Amino acid sequence: MKSFFLVFLGGGIGSGCRFLISNVLNNNFKSFHYLGTFSVNMLGCILIGIVMGFLQKENNFNQNYLLLLSSGFCGGFTTFSTFANENLDLIKSGNFLVFFSYTVCSVIFGIAGAYLGYLIVK
């Protein structure tokens, strides 16, 4: 039950942070209204790289922190479902260049961000 609470707490905080950051970015950069989702997903990739890098570096890392930060916070902060829905909207509107660019950049920069986060801790 403790594990559930830690993931629940981290996820709630992560979702709240995602909401705030996405709204600020989407309201200030209306020409690319996918910037909020892209930004939180990339930041989440960096953060999970940091968490996992720290986990490997520290022999006495507390599993509770892993649940709170990775499954909880990063899981709530990032959003694959919104990313998928935004891409579906781009496909339906026939905006294939933005769809392709958004998808490729998200995957490449997401993996690079996780690796960067990992390197920051190493």
Side-chain angles (χ1 to χ4, degrees):
M1 191 60 155
K2 181 179 179 182
S3 297
F4 172 79
F5 178 71
L6 290 169
V7 172
F8 180 79
L9 177 65
I13 294 168
S15 294
C17 290
R18 176 184 70 228
F19 174 79
L20 292 173
I21 292 170
S22 290
N23 277 349
V24 167
L25 290 174
N26 290 343
N27 288 332
N28 290 311
F29 298 94
K30 294 182 190 284
S31 62
F32 187 64
H33 66 275
Y34 306 115
L35 185 61
T37 303
F38 181 78
S39 298
V40 296
N41 283 343
M42 296 307 104
L43 184 56
C45 289
I46 293 169
L47 289 173
I48 203 159
I50 289 171
V51 169
M52 300 312 288
F54 190 75
L55 173 64
Q56 288 185 352
K57 185 177 181 181
E58 296 293 320
N59 292 334
N60 59 352
F61 190 79
N62 189 328
Q63 284 297 113
N64 292 331
Y65 292 127
L66 179 64
L67 289 171
L68 178 72
L69 298 173
S70 66
S71 297
F73 183 83
C74 289
F77 186 63
T78 59
T79 174
F80 188 75
S81 58
T82 301
F83 168 73
N85 188 55
E86 289 170 350
N87 276 300
L88 181 59
D89 287 344
L90 289 168
I91 291 169
K92 289 191 299 189
S93 69
N95 202 340
F96 297 109
L97 181 60
V98 175
F99 157 73
F100 181 76
S101 300
Y102 183 35
T103 302
V104 169
C105 287
S106 292
V107 172
I108 290 172
F109 291 138
I111 293 168
Y115 186 60
L116 174 66
Y118 177 79
L119 290 177
I120 288 171
V121 176
K122 283 290 225 179

